[in-house]
Amino acid sequence: MSTALITGITGQDGQYLAETLHAKGYRVVGVVTGQRNPHADALASGLPFVELVGGDLADLPSLIAALEYSQPDEVYNLGAISYVALSFKQAELTANVNGLGVLRLLEAIRLVGGQDNPIRFYQASSSEMFGKVRETPQNELTPLHPRSPYGSAKVFGHHTTVNYRESYGLFACSGILFNHESPRRGLEFVTRKVTNAAARIALGLQDEVALGNLEAKRDWGFAGDYVRAMHLMLQQDEPDDFVIATGEARSVREFVQLAFSAAGIDDWERHVRIDPRFFRPAEVDLLVGDASKAHRVLGWAPQMPFETLVTSMVAHDLEIERRKLA
Ligand code: GDD
């Protein structure tokens, strides 16, 4: 039985990845931070097969202890401050966790990982690294130009992963994932914020939602499809870096329109207020990925179309809001 150690286990991707690996027969160990972490309690009841171990990307000894305890074959580093807007307000923390955290985990792997059974490592890199994009669509060779403390820290983590692969021969892969969503997405991200608001407005529970830049364009896929790519990367003969994306760009405006229409609301503009608080000091205007390398080498392709993703998120939010009313 293979063992996977996952940081960021309580997040959207951590949960989908844990389910995917468990279905493949893996022993899944998740790293949880903090004391009496409420997300850890929710995880223990939602995904009871996950073994939990304490640890923090800001604390090297705790990462060494988590590796020694779990003795993993594969480590997936999904832990991060993942909300780009927050990274502007907590830039130092973001650099520490999202940037130096990768270096700490790689050092811990170097210290603990045995020669006979070398640990394979996956780093959650991000399309935010492309920032002010130099070309469209973006691929593995597109120059990086981050536009936020989040993006800058992810660039450090990405280069560090490549560097440890080249310096020490670690089986270290970096997945450059474009935006990926699901009903498990946090309410702070624009997609879930919108699907949740559309559901609540349709049910008469609120009248409007405050949003920022509606013109930003993103390449939105389904998180459940993207975690399959993470696993595939670690099953190859050679470690490498891969862009994971759908290749389709939509604006926030299009997302809002579709989500409201799925909730049965045609006059969405009446319910959306533009609030400067949700604009960022520097914006990433357009992200759209070229995942042809992943198609070719990994045999990976996204399965869920954009329209299905949006309507399933709205349906989920309608159901939970109705349940609250009952
Ligand atoms: N969150 C949010 N809230 N974003 C808004 C809002 C709002 O009210 N209004 C407009 N937006 C715009 C943002 O300015 C941004 O251009 C876009 O919607 C998407 O924002 P998010 O959903 O917060 O995601 P993100 O693109 O910044 O970052 C996500 O994707 C990255 C991959 O490209 C996160 O998941 C990152 O962790 C991930 O690396």
Side-chain angles (χ1 to χ4, degrees):
M1 186 197 257
S2 296
T3 296
L5 182 71
I6 304 176
T7 69
I9 187 78
T10 59
Q12 165 190 263
D13 292 7
Q15 293 176 50
Y16 280 112
L17 181 64
E19 285 171 344
T20 301
L21 297 180
H22 178 63
K24 291 182 184 299
Y26 276 69
R27 167 179 170 242
V28 179
V29 184
V31 180
V32 286
T33 59
Q35 198 179 334
R36 298 186 63 194
N37 179 340
H39 298 296
D41 293 343
L43 191 81
S45 58
L47 302 179
F49 57 84
V50 176
E51 256 174 72
L52 298 179
V53 59
D56 198 304
L57 287 165
D59 183 60
L60 176 63
S62 74
L63 298 175
I64 294 171
L67 287 166
E68 280 175 341
Y69 163 78
S70 56
Q71 296 291 319
D73 302 283
E74 298 173 6
V75 172
Y76 295 86
N77 184 32
L78 314 185
I81 309 284
S82 62
Y83 184 32
V84 174
L86 178 68
S87 80
F88 285 100
K89 299 197 170 101
Q90 299 186 4
E92 186 183 343
L93 179 67
T94 303
N96 192 18
V97 174
N98 298 12
L100 280 175
V102 183
L103 183 134
R104 289 189 193 99
L105 191 48
L106 284 163
E107 276 299 315
I109 288 172
R110 243 161 49 81
L111 287 166
V112 175
Q115 285 294 324
D116 302 340
N117 184 19
I119 296 171
R120 296 190 166 205
F121 176 75
Y122 172 85
Q123 166 59 12
S125 285
S126 162
S127 54
E128 271 288 312
M129 301 189 305
F130 298 122
K132 194 171 168 60
V133 299
R134 307 277 184 88
E135 62 179 353
T136 295
Q138 297 87 48
N139 63 37
E140 293 80 5
L141 299 175
T142 300
L144 307 178
H145 187 146
R147 295 272 279 173
S148 62
Y150 172 91
S152 302
K154 282 286 179 182
V155 169
F156 178 84
H158 176 70
H159 286 319
T160 302
T161 302
V162 174
N163 184 241
Y164 272 58
R165 178 169 79 217
E166 293 174 354
S167 304
Y168 307 115
L170 287 187
F171 194 107
C173 298
S174 175
I176 307 173
L177 269 54
F178 283 62
N179 297 50
H180 43 285
E181 319 296 313
S182 76
R184 283 174 168 159
R185 192 58 144 147
L187 287 165
E188 65 276 35
F189 298 96
V190 77
T191 54
R192 184 78 199 292
K193 181 175 174 182
V194 167
T195 60
N196 183 258
R200 290 177 57 82
I201 292 168
L203 296 174
L205 294 170
Q206 71 185 57
D207 191 47
E208 64 167 27
V209 58
L211 295 174
N213 179 14
L214 299 187
E215 308 317 323
K217 289 192 169 151
R218 290 290 184 276
D219 178 333
W220 278 298
F222 170 53
D225 284 341
Y226 286 35
V227 298
R228 281 191 291 111
M230 299 175 186
H231 175 252
L232 281 168
M233 285 178 215
L234 297 199
Q235 313 315 308
Q236 304 306 303
D237 291 337
E238 297 296 331
D240 206 344
D241 308 319
F242 295 92
V243 158
I244 301 298
T246 71
E248 290 174 26
R250 320 272 178 156
S251 65
V252 173
R253 179 182 295 278
E254 284 172 88
F255 190 99
V256 175
Q257 202 167 358
L258 188 55
F260 273 72
S261 143
I265 305 165
D266 293 327
D267 56 347
W268 65 270
E269 274 154 317
R270 222 171 53 75
H271 300 283
V272 171
R273 180 167 53 82
I274 301 302
D275 187 332
R277 278 187 310 134
F278 294 107
F279 283 79
R280 296 172 184 178
E283 177 63 285
V284 172
D285 297 319
L286 164 71
L287 291 175
V288 57
D290 170 4
S292 47
K293 181 175 168 187
H295 298 175
R296 200 175 59 249
V297 178
L298 305 177
W300 177 87
Q303 285 171 0
M304 188 181 288
F306 177 70
E307 288 73 15
T308 314
L309 173 66
V310 180
T311 51
S312 66
M313 288 175 70
V314 172
H316 170 85
D317 280 319
L318 279 168
E319 193 189 314
I320 54 174
E321 292 301 328
R322 275 200 196 103
R323 228 185 285 146
K324 280 190 213 159
L325 282 175

